[in-house]
Every structure is written in structure tokens, then in C-alpha cells.
Amino acid sequence: MTGAVHLTAAPWQFVDVAGEPLGAVPERSRPALTFESDGQVYGTGGVNRLRSTYRLEDGVLRFGTVVSTRMAGTPEHTQREEAVLALLAGDVRVRAEHAAAGGAGPAAAHDGVGNTAAVEGVVLVLSDPQGRESRLVPVTRVPDAPHAPAEPEPGAPR
């Protein structure tokens, strides 16, 4: 079942990128995007924070120039982030699908420690020009959101 796309309804977290399931990935390394109603999008590619603009027209999502931090990550996480950045570099077909309760596969979310939970609601499907699909599910918070205040280290002066 497909439906209307409501990008700003929630932050979105990738469960697979370009057809590759993420599996048990630490939450801080899981790519995520938050779409704002003013046309801004921010999130993480899994290693670095990113920010851009977006437009949704006729089922096609178009991103502006993506800017990001430039931190190093593991080869696996860096490769995944490069796939996310490649996705955001071109026109992306977008659709929303209903996630079946108790389902597995693309409609499953991973908690970062190997547990899989059924997702009830919507799965955002982004298709790149080569037809590879990336799936995102809504989350209650985006890891390391750029506008969130940083917590000081325990024992650090405030």
C-alpha cells in the first residue's frame, strides 16, 4: 500500500541504504534525516552531520548542495555514508508505504544491539536513478541532531 508523503511528520532513520540492509548498527552510526517545513533538511550520514535544502514535487525529491562535517569513520560506516550522500546528490523518487505489523525485512527497525522490532506506520522509500531503494522509518529522536545541545562529560566543568 502506498500513500501520501509527509516528510515533516517525524525524523527518519535509514533501515537500508541503496538496497543494503543496515542490520545491527550502533545508533550513533545509523544515517538519519529530519525534514523541516521551511525546506531545510539535516541529519547524519552515519559518520558526519549534514545539512541541505529540499523540494518535493510530483513524487520527486530534489536536494540542494549538501554540506557536512568531515570526520573520519570506519571503512564500513564511511562507505555507507558515501551511499547516503550519493542518494542526496541526485533526483530521488519518493513514496510512502504502510509497514505491516509484525513484518520483517524492509519494514523492520533495528535498535543497534541486534534486536529487531516490527514497525507500525509508514516506511519512506527513496529510489535513486539506478532504481536502488533506501528505506527510512520514523523515529522519536535523531541521533546527534546538530541543533541539540551537547551534554558535558561526567565530571566536566559546566
Side-chain angles (χ1 to χ4, degrees):
M1 169 189 252
T2 59
V5 177
H6 299 285
L7 297 175
T8 61
W12 298 93
Q13 193 172 60
F14 284 82
V15 292
D16 62 56
V17 178
E20 297 293 324
L22 269 63
V25 174
E27 183 153 339
R28 71 181 181 282
S29 300
R30 184 171 292 277
L33 298 173
T34 298
F35 296 89
E36 298 289 339
S37 59
D38 66 357
Q40 300 290 311
V41 61
Y42 66 88
T44 175
V47 176
N48 291 284
R49 295 177 182 174
L50 61 89
R51 182 172 288 279
S52 185
T53 57
Y54 75 93
R55 281 191 345 253
L56 177 62
E57 295 174 345
D58 300 323
V60 176
L61 190 55
R62 292 180 177 91
F63 293 93
T65 301
V66 177
V67 295
S68 71
T69 58
R70 297 185 47 101
M71 297 170 49
T74 66
E76 177 186 2
H77 295 169
T78 300
Q79 182 179 13
R80 183 179 314 111
E81 180 168 274
E82 288 170 358
V84 169
L85 293 173
L87 177 69
L88 303 182
D91 289 353
V92 179
R93 302 256 354 128
V94 61
R95 71 180 187 277
E97 294 180 346
H98 180 70
H110 301 272
D111 65 3
V113 292
N115 299 319
T116 303
V119 175
E120 293 182 11
V122 175
V123 175
L124 190 64
V125 181
L126 305 180
S127 300
D128 68 17
Q130 292 76 36
R132 297 175 299 207
E133 293 185 338
S134 297
R135 288 181 169 72
L136 298 87
V137 295
V139 293
T140 55
R141 71 174 189 86
V142 176
D144 301 324
H147 66 282
E151 290 294 319
E153 292 292 322
R158 293 188 181 247

mmCIF file of all heavy atoms in Angstrom, residues 41-85:
data_model
loop_
_atom_site.group_PDB
_atom_site.id
_atom_site.type_symbol
_atom_site.label_atom_id
_atom_site.label_comp_id
_atom_site.label_asym_id
_atom_site.label_seq_id
_atom_site.Cartn_x
_atom_site.Cartn_y
_atom_site.Cartn_z
ATOM 1 N N VAL A 41 16.737 20.418 5.501
ATOM 2 C CA VAL A 41 16.882 19.025 5.930
ATOM 3 C C VAL A 41 18.237 18.906 6.617
ATOM 4 O O VAL A 41 19.209 19.520 6.193
ATOM 5 C CB VAL A 41 16.751 18.031 4.747
ATOM 6 C CG1 VAL A 41 17.815 18.262 3.693
ATOM 7 C CG2 VAL A 41 16.788 16.580 5.229
ATOM 8 N N TYR A 42 18.278 18.167 7.711
ATOM 9 C CA TYR A 42 19.538 17.931 8.408
ATOM 10 C C TYR A 42 19.552 16.517 8.943
ATOM 11 O O TYR A 42 18.538 15.839 8.971
ATOM 12 C CB TYR A 42 19.765 18.947 9.538
ATOM 13 C CG TYR A 42 18.772 18.838 10.666
ATOM 14 C CD1 TYR A 42 19.008 17.976 11.729
ATOM 15 C CD2 TYR A 42 17.608 19.586 10.671
ATOM 16 C CE1 TYR A 42 18.099 17.857 12.763
ATOM 17 C CE2 TYR A 42 16.696 19.480 11.705
ATOM 18 C CZ TYR A 42 16.946 18.605 12.745
ATOM 19 O OH TYR A 42 16.049 18.484 13.761
ATOM 20 N N GLY A 43 20.715 16.063 9.336
ATOM 21 C CA GLY A 43 20.827 14.724 9.892
ATOM 22 C C GLY A 43 22.252 14.256 9.935
ATOM 23 O O GLY A 43 23.177 15.045 10.111
ATOM 24 N N THR A 44 22.408 12.960 9.730
ATOM 25 C CA THR A 44 23.723 12.348 9.745
ATOM 26 C C THR A 44 23.790 11.277 8.662
ATOM 27 O O THR A 44 22.794 10.610 8.382
ATOM 28 C CB THR A 44 24.053 11.735 11.128
ATOM 29 O OG1 THR A 44 25.308 11.058 11.044
ATOM 30 C CG2 THR A 44 23.003 10.753 11.597
ATOM 31 N N GLY A 45 24.972 11.151 8.071
ATOM 32 C CA GLY A 45 25.205 10.080 7.112
ATOM 33 C C GLY A 45 25.692 8.820 7.810
ATOM 34 O O GLY A 45 25.945 7.807 7.177
ATOM 35 N N GLY A 46 25.828 8.887 9.126
ATOM 36 C CA GLY A 46 26.325 7.769 9.900
ATOM 37 C C GLY A 46 27.690 8.048 10.498
ATOM 38 O O GLY A 46 28.072 7.441 11.482
ATOM 39 N N VAL A 47 28.415 8.983 9.898
ATOM 40 C CA VAL A 47 29.715 9.399 10.425
ATOM 41 C C VAL A 47 29.676 10.903 10.690
ATOM 42 O O VAL A 47 30.035 11.358 11.762
ATOM 43 C CB VAL A 47 30.865 9.073 9.434
ATOM 44 C CG1 VAL A 47 32.200 9.591 9.960
ATOM 45 C CG2 VAL A 47 30.929 7.584 9.143
ATOM 46 N N ASN A 48 29.214 11.665 9.719
ATOM 47 C CA ASN A 48 29.220 13.122 9.784
ATOM 48 C C ASN A 48 27.813 13.688 9.809
ATOM 49 O O ASN A 48 26.874 13.103 9.268
ATOM 50 C CB ASN A 48 29.963 13.679 8.567
ATOM 51 C CG ASN A 48 31.435 13.378 8.630
ATOM 52 O OD1 ASN A 48 32.161 14.006 9.382
ATOM 53 N ND2 ASN A 48 31.880 12.400 7.845
ATOM 54 N N ARG A 49 27.699 14.859 10.386
ATOM 55 C CA ARG A 49 26.445 15.612 10.342
ATOM 56 C C ARG A 49 26.329 16.243 8.969
ATOM 57 O O ARG A 49 27.328 16.608 8.355
ATOM 58 C CB ARG A 49 26.421 16.675 11.421
ATOM 59 C CG ARG A 49 26.424 16.083 12.801
ATOM 60 C CD ARG A 49 26.473 17.163 13.825
ATOM 61 N NE ARG A 49 26.522 16.575 15.159
ATOM 62 C CZ ARG A 49 26.680 17.260 16.255
ATOM 63 N NH1 ARG A 49 26.812 18.570 16.203
ATOM 64 N NH2 ARG A 49 26.707 16.668 17.415
ATOM 65 N N LEU A 50 25.093 16.399 8.508
ATOM 66 C CA LEU A 50 24.873 17.004 7.202
ATOM 67 C C LEU A 50 23.681 17.936 7.249
ATOM 68 O O LEU A 50 22.835 17.848 8.135
ATOM 69 C CB LEU A 50 24.693 15.931 6.125
ATOM 70 C CG LEU A 50 23.534 14.955 6.267
ATOM 71 C CD1 LEU A 50 22.272 15.474 5.610
ATOM 72 C CD2 LEU A 50 23.931 13.626 5.656
ATOM 73 N N ARG A 51 23.647 18.824 6.271
ATOM 74 C CA ARG A 51 22.556 19.802 6.147
ATOM 75 C C ARG A 51 22.400 20.144 4.674
ATOM 76 O O ARG A 51 23.362 20.188 3.927
ATOM 77 C CB ARG A 51 22.877 21.051 6.953
ATOM 78 C CG ARG A 51 21.763 22.099 6.915
ATOM 79 C CD ARG A 51 22.008 23.250 7.859
ATOM 80 N NE ARG A 51 21.845 22.906 9.255
ATOM 81 C CZ ARG A 51 20.669 22.840 9.893
ATOM 82 N NH1 ARG A 51 19.566 23.080 9.241
ATOM 83 N NH2 ARG A 51 20.615 22.553 11.172
ATOM 84 N N SER A 52 21.151 20.411 4.286
ATOM 85 C CA SER A 52 20.865 20.806 2.911
ATOM 86 C C SER A 52 19.485 21.449 2.873
ATOM 87 O O SER A 52 18.878 21.724 3.904
ATOM 88 C CB SER A 52 20.905 19.574 1.986
ATOM 89 O OG SER A 52 20.739 19.971 0.632
ATOM 90 N N THR A 53 19.019 21.685 1.662
ATOM 91 C CA THR A 53 17.646 22.105 1.416
ATOM 92 C C THR A 53 16.999 21.014 0.572
ATOM 93 O O THR A 53 17.687 20.162 0.008
ATOM 94 C CB THR A 53 17.587 23.446 0.659
ATOM 95 O OG1 THR A 53 18.311 23.312 -0.570
ATOM 96 C CG2 THR A 53 18.193 24.575 1.486
ATOM 97 N N TYR A 54 15.675 21.046 0.494
ATOM 98 C CA TYR A 54 14.978 20.067 -0.334
ATOM 99 C C TYR A 54 13.696 20.673 -0.899
ATOM 100 O O TYR A 54 13.162 21.650 -0.372
ATOM 101 C CB TYR A 54 14.636 18.801 0.473
ATOM 102 C CG TYR A 54 13.485 19.000 1.432
ATOM 103 C CD1 TYR A 54 12.175 18.697 1.052
ATOM 104 C CD2 TYR A 54 13.688 19.515 2.708
ATOM 105 C CE1 TYR A 54 11.113 18.896 1.924
ATOM 106 C CE2 TYR A 54 12.634 19.721 3.578
ATOM 107 C CZ TYR A 54 11.353 19.401 3.194
ATOM 108 O OH TYR A 54 10.304 19.605 4.044
ATOM 109 N N ARG A 55 13.231 20.055 -1.995
ATOM 110 C CA ARG A 55 11.928 20.363 -2.605
ATOM 111 C C ARG A 55 11.299 19.035 -2.985
ATOM 112 O O ARG A 55 11.975 18.150 -3.514
ATOM 113 C CB ARG A 55 12.088 21.196 -3.866
ATOM 114 C CG ARG A 55 12.341 22.651 -3.649
ATOM 115 C CD ARG A 55 12.222 23.496 -4.927
ATOM 116 N NE ARG A 55 12.222 22.779 -6.171
ATOM 117 C CZ ARG A 55 13.232 22.734 -7.047
ATOM 118 N NH1 ARG A 55 14.352 23.379 -6.798
ATOM 119 N NH2 ARG A 55 13.137 22.080 -8.170
ATOM 120 N N LEU A 56 10.015 18.894 -2.738
ATOM 121 C CA LEU A 56 9.279 17.707 -3.150
ATOM 122 C C LEU A 56 8.236 18.143 -4.169
ATOM 123 O O LEU A 56 7.361 18.948 -3.858
ATOM 124 C CB LEU A 56 8.602 17.049 -1.945
ATOM 125 C CG LEU A 56 7.733 15.830 -2.242
ATOM 126 C CD1 LEU A 56 8.571 14.711 -2.850
ATOM 127 C CD2 LEU A 56 7.049 15.345 -0.966
ATOM 128 N N GLU A 57 8.392 17.649 -5.404
ATOM 129 C CA GLU A 57 7.465 17.999 -6.478
ATOM 130 C C GLU A 57 7.134 16.757 -7.279
ATOM 131 O O GLU A 57 8.050 16.076 -7.782
ATOM 132 C CB GLU A 57 8.088 19.044 -7.414
ATOM 133 C CG GLU A 57 8.363 20.375 -6.771
ATOM 134 C CD GLU A 57 9.104 21.322 -7.705
ATOM 135 O OE1 GLU A 57 9.649 20.880 -8.735
ATOM 136 O OE2 GLU A 57 9.143 22.526 -7.392
ATOM 137 N N ASP A 58 5.849 16.445 -7.401
ATOM 138 C CA ASP A 58 5.392 15.341 -8.237
ATOM 139 C C ASP A 58 6.102 14.027 -7.927
ATOM 140 O O ASP A 58 6.496 13.291 -8.831
ATOM 141 C CB ASP A 58 5.552 15.685 -9.728
ATOM 142 C CG ASP A 58 4.752 16.913 -10.123
ATOM 143 O OD1 ASP A 58 3.625 17.089 -9.590
ATOM 144 O OD2 ASP A 58 5.244 17.695 -10.947
ATOM 145 N N GLY A 59 6.281 13.730 -6.641
ATOM 146 C CA GLY A 59 6.905 12.475 -6.239
ATOM 147 C C GLY A 59 8.409 12.425 -6.402
ATOM 148 O O GLY A 59 9.015 11.364 -6.259
ATOM 149 N N VAL A 60 9.030 13.577 -6.714
ATOM 150 C CA VAL A 60 10.482 13.634 -6.862
ATOM 151 C C VAL A 60 11.031 14.571 -5.788
ATOM 152 O O VAL A 60 10.586 15.708 -5.643
ATOM 153 C CB VAL A 60 10.905 14.119 -8.263
ATOM 154 C CG1 VAL A 60 12.417 14.266 -8.359
ATOM 155 C CG2 VAL A 60 10.393 13.161 -9.334
ATOM 156 N N LEU A 61 12.004 14.066 -5.052
ATOM 157 C CA LEU A 61 12.664 14.826 -4.009
ATOM 158 C C LEU A 61 13.984 15.333 -4.568
ATOM 159 O O LEU A 61 14.794 14.557 -5.072
ATOM 160 C CB LEU A 61 12.903 13.893 -2.817
ATOM 161 C CG LEU A 61 13.378 14.457 -1.507
ATOM 162 C CD1 LEU A 61 12.455 15.556 -0.993
ATOM 163 C CD2 LEU A 61 13.474 13.336 -0.481
ATOM 164 N N ARG A 62 14.167 16.646 -4.499
ATOM 165 C CA ARG A 62 15.393 17.268 -5.001
ATOM 166 C C ARG A 62 16.084 17.977 -3.845
ATOM 167 O O ARG A 62 15.472 18.780 -3.148
ATOM 168 C CB ARG A 62 15.080 18.267 -6.100
ATOM 169 C CG ARG A 62 14.562 17.625 -7.357
ATOM 170 C CD ARG A 62 14.250 18.644 -8.449
ATOM 171 N NE ARG A 62 13.832 17.974 -9.657
ATOM 172 C CZ ARG A 62 12.567 17.691 -9.951
ATOM 173 N NH1 ARG A 62 11.602 18.050 -9.131
ATOM 174 N NH2 ARG A 62 12.271 17.062 -11.077
ATOM 175 N N PHE A 63 17.361 17.666 -3.669
ATOM 176 C CA PHE A 63 18.146 18.264 -2.599
ATOM 177 C C PHE A 63 19.044 19.341 -3.172
ATOM 178 O O PHE A 63 19.519 19.235 -4.302
ATOM 179 C CB PHE A 63 19.013 17.201 -1.913
ATOM 180 C CG PHE A 63 18.209 16.184 -1.158
ATOM 181 C CD1 PHE A 63 17.825 15.001 -1.766
ATOM 182 C CD2 PHE A 63 17.823 16.408 0.154
ATOM 183 C CE1 PHE A 63 17.073 14.062 -1.083
ATOM 184 C CE2 PHE A 63 17.075 15.480 0.842
ATOM 185 C CZ PHE A 63 16.701 14.298 0.229
ATOM 186 N N GLY A 64 19.312 20.368 -2.372
ATOM 187 C CA GLY A 64 20.299 21.373 -2.731
ATOM 188 C C GLY A 64 21.680 20.823 -2.427
ATOM 189 O O GLY A 64 21.859 19.629 -2.153
ATOM 190 N N THR A 65 22.661 21.700 -2.449
ATOM 191 C CA THR A 65 24.024 21.301 -2.117
ATOM 192 C C THR A 65 24.057 20.810 -0.671
ATOM 193 O O THR A 65 23.550 21.475 0.226
ATOM 194 C CB THR A 65 24.988 22.481 -2.288
ATOM 195 O OG1 THR A 65 24.921 22.919 -3.643
ATOM 196 C CG2 THR A 65 26.410 22.093 -1.951
ATOM 197 N N VAL A 66 24.644 19.643 -0.469
ATOM 198 C CA VAL A 66 24.752 19.066 0.870
ATOM 199 C C VAL A 66 26.082 19.499 1.473
ATOM 200 O O VAL A 66 27.131 19.368 0.840
ATOM 201 C CB VAL A 66 24.666 17.526 0.821
ATOM 202 C CG1 VAL A 66 24.848 16.929 2.215
ATOM 203 C CG2 VAL A 66 23.335 17.078 0.220
ATOM 204 N N VAL A 67 26.030 20.029 2.682
ATOM 205 C CA VAL A 67 27.246 20.357 3.415
ATOM 206 C C VAL A 67 27.326 19.418 4.617
ATOM 207 O O VAL A 67 26.299 19.024 5.170
ATOM 208 C CB VAL A 67 27.284 21.838 3.868
ATOM 209 C CG1 VAL A 67 27.352 22.768 2.682
ATOM 210 C CG2 VAL A 67 26.091 22.178 4.734
ATOM 211 N N SER A 68 28.547 19.037 4.967
ATOM 212 C CA SER A 68 28.695 18.124 6.097
ATOM 213 C C SER A 68 30.020 18.364 6.798
ATOM 214 O O SER A 68 30.929 18.980 6.251
ATOM 215 C CB SER A 68 28.607 16.665 5.632
ATOM 216 O OG SER A 68 29.759 16.296 4.905
ATOM 217 N N THR A 69 30.091 17.854 8.013
ATOM 218 C CA THR A 69 31.362 17.850 8.714
ATOM 219 C C THR A 69 32.272 16.856 7.997
ATOM 220 O O THR A 69 31.826 16.140 7.104
ATOM 221 C CB THR A 69 31.162 17.461 10.194
ATOM 222 O OG1 THR A 69 30.537 16.171 10.251
ATOM 223 C CG2 THR A 69 30.313 18.486 10.928
ATOM 224 N N ARG A 70 33.531 16.804 8.369
ATOM 225 C CA ARG A 70 34.489 15.937 7.659
ATOM 226 C C ARG A 70 35.296 15.115 8.658
ATOM 227 O O ARG A 70 36.507 15.209 8.724
ATOM 228 C CB ARG A 70 35.391 16.777 6.771
ATOM 229 C CG ARG A 70 34.592 17.499 5.689
ATOM 230 C CD ARG A 70 35.451 18.242 4.715
ATOM 231 N NE ARG A 70 36.560 17.479 4.211
ATOM 232 C CZ ARG A 70 36.615 16.873 3.029
ATOM 233 N NH1 ARG A 70 35.579 16.925 2.239
ATOM 234 N NH2 ARG A 70 37.688 16.225 2.656
ATOM 235 N N MET A 71 34.590 14.283 9.396
ATOM 236 C CA MET A 71 35.251 13.428 10.372
ATOM 237 C C MET A 71 35.512 12.059 9.747
ATOM 238 O O MET A 71 34.834 11.654 8.820
ATOM 239 C CB MET A 71 34.382 13.306 11.621
ATOM 240 C CG MET A 71 34.183 14.642 12.313
ATOM 241 S SD MET A 71 32.952 14.641 13.626
ATOM 242 C CE MET A 71 33.421 13.245 14.588
ATOM 243 N N ALA A 72 36.484 11.367 10.281
ATOM 244 C CA ALA A 72 36.815 10.024 9.794
ATOM 245 C C ALA A 72 35.951 8.994 10.503
ATOM 246 O O ALA A 72 35.538 9.179 11.641
ATOM 247 C CB ALA A 72 38.290 9.725 10.058
ATOM 248 N N GLY A 73 35.674 7.912 9.800
ATOM 249 C CA GLY A 73 34.911 6.809 10.368
ATOM 250 C C GLY A 73 35.499 5.489 9.912
ATOM 251 O O GLY A 73 36.441 5.457 9.116
ATOM 252 N N THR A 74 34.922 4.408 10.384
ATOM 253 C CA THR A 74 35.384 3.092 9.943
ATOM 254 C C THR A 74 35.116 2.959 8.445
ATOM 255 O O THR A 74 34.222 3.625 7.911
ATOM 256 C CB THR A 74 34.651 1.959 10.688
ATOM 257 O OG1 THR A 74 33.272 1.982 10.305
ATOM 258 C CG2 THR A 74 34.796 2.086 12.203
ATOM 259 N N PRO A 75 35.846 2.109 7.758
ATOM 260 C CA PRO A 75 35.599 1.938 6.318
ATOM 261 C C PRO A 75 34.144 1.566 6.010
ATOM 262 O O PRO A 75 33.551 2.091 5.074
ATOM 263 C CB PRO A 75 36.567 0.822 5.915
ATOM 264 C CG PRO A 75 37.692 0.943 6.894
ATOM 265 C CD PRO A 75 37.036 1.353 8.195
ATOM 266 N N GLU A 76 33.548 0.690 6.821
ATOM 267 C CA GLU A 76 32.155 0.278 6.602
ATOM 268 C C GLU A 76 31.201 1.449 6.755
ATOM 269 O O GLU A 76 30.325 1.673 5.922
ATOM 270 C CB GLU A 76 31.785 -0.837 7.581
ATOM 271 C CG GLU A 76 30.335 -1.265 7.472
ATOM 272 C CD GLU A 76 29.938 -2.262 8.552
ATOM 273 O OE1 GLU A 76 30.769 -2.601 9.424
ATOM 274 O OE2 GLU A 76 28.783 -2.691 8.520
ATOM 275 N N HIS A 77 31.367 2.234 7.822
ATOM 276 C CA HIS A 77 30.479 3.375 8.058
ATOM 277 C C HIS A 77 30.695 4.467 7.020
ATOM 278 O O HIS A 77 29.748 5.111 6.579
ATOM 279 C CB HIS A 77 30.673 3.919 9.470
ATOM 280 C CG HIS A 77 30.272 2.947 10.535
ATOM 281 N ND1 HIS A 77 30.568 3.142 11.850
ATOM 282 C CD2 HIS A 77 29.602 1.775 10.478
ATOM 283 C CE1 HIS A 77 30.107 2.131 12.564
ATOM 284 N NE2 HIS A 77 29.516 1.286 11.740
ATOM 285 N N THR A 78 31.954 4.678 6.625
ATOM 286 C CA THR A 78 32.254 5.689 5.606
ATOM 287 C C THR A 78 31.650 5.295 4.264
ATOM 288 O O THR A 78 31.082 6.136 3.560
ATOM 289 C CB THR A 78 33.782 5.888 5.485
ATOM 290 O OG1 THR A 78 34.276 6.322 6.762
ATOM 291 C CG2 THR A 78 34.129 6.906 4.427
ATOM 292 N N GLN A 79 31.730 4.023 3.911
ATOM 293 C CA GLN A 79 31.133 3.548 2.655
ATOM 294 C C GLN A 79 29.618 3.745 2.663
ATOM 295 O O GLN A 79 29.036 4.200 1.678
ATOM 296 C CB GLN A 79 31.476 2.080 2.433
ATOM 297 C CG GLN A 79 30.943 1.531 1.125
ATOM 298 C CD GLN A 79 31.331 0.065 0.929
ATOM 299 O OE1 GLN A 79 31.785 -0.615 1.843
ATOM 300 N NE2 GLN A 79 31.144 -0.413 -0.283
ATOM 301 N N ARG A 80 28.978 3.449 3.794
ATOM 302 C CA ARG A 80 27.534 3.651 3.910
ATOM 303 C C ARG A 80 27.199 5.130 3.786
ATOM 304 O O ARG A 80 26.251 5.518 3.105
ATOM 305 C CB ARG A 80 27.038 3.095 5.241
ATOM 306 C CG ARG A 80 25.532 3.201 5.388
ATOM 307 C CD ARG A 80 25.015 2.634 6.698
ATOM 308 N NE ARG A 80 25.583 1.353 7.029
ATOM 309 C CZ ARG A 80 26.426 1.142 8.042
ATOM 310 N NH1 ARG A 80 26.791 2.136 8.821
ATOM 311 N NH2 ARG A 80 26.902 -0.049 8.288
ATOM 312 N N GLU A 81 27.999 5.995 4.441
ATOM 313 C CA GLU A 81 27.750 7.427 4.366
ATOM 314 C C GLU A 81 27.902 7.932 2.926
ATOM 315 O O GLU A 81 27.107 8.757 2.472
ATOM 316 C CB GLU A 81 28.687 8.191 5.285
ATOM 317 C CG GLU A 81 28.450 9.697 5.223
ATOM 318 C CD GLU A 81 29.160 10.421 6.328
ATOM 319 O OE1 GLU A 81 28.585 10.525 7.431
ATOM 320 O OE2 GLU A 81 30.290 10.886 6.080
ATOM 321 N N GLU A 82 28.890 7.428 2.208
ATOM 322 C CA GLU A 82 29.061 7.819 0.808
ATOM 323 C C GLU A 82 27.829 7.443 -0.015
ATOM 324 O O GLU A 82 27.423 8.192 -0.905
ATOM 325 C CB GLU A 82 30.328 7.189 0.235
ATOM 326 C CG GLU A 82 31.592 7.822 0.786
ATOM 327 C CD GLU A 82 32.864 7.071 0.425
ATOM 328 O OE1 GLU A 82 32.793 6.003 -0.234
ATOM 329 O OE2 GLU A 82 33.947 7.562 0.801
ATOM 330 N N ALA A 83 27.214 6.304 0.282
ATOM 331 C CA ALA A 83 25.985 5.904 -0.418
ATOM 332 C C ALA A 83 24.841 6.851 -0.083
ATOM 333 O O ALA A 83 24.040 7.210 -0.955
ATOM 334 C CB ALA A 83 25.628 4.457 -0.074
ATOM 335 N N VAL A 84 24.752 7.295 1.173
ATOM 336 C CA VAL A 84 23.714 8.260 1.560
ATOM 337 C C VAL A 84 23.941 9.580 0.826
ATOM 338 O O VAL A 84 23.009 10.166 0.260
ATOM 339 C CB VAL A 84 23.699 8.484 3.092
ATOM 340 C CG1 VAL A 84 22.821 9.680 3.467
ATOM 341 C CG2 VAL A 84 23.235 7.224 3.810
ATOM 342 N N LEU A 85 25.184 10.066 0.805
ATOM 343 C CA LEU A 85 25.487 11.330 0.129
ATOM 344 C C LEU A 85 25.232 11.237 -1.370
ATOM 345 O O LEU A 85 24.743 12.196 -1.981
ATOM 346 C CB LEU A 85 26.925 11.762 0.416
ATOM 347 C CG LEU A 85 27.200 12.149 1.876
ATOM 348 C CD1 LEU A 85 28.680 12.386 2.096
ATOM 349 C CD2 LEU A 85 26.376 13.358 2.286
#
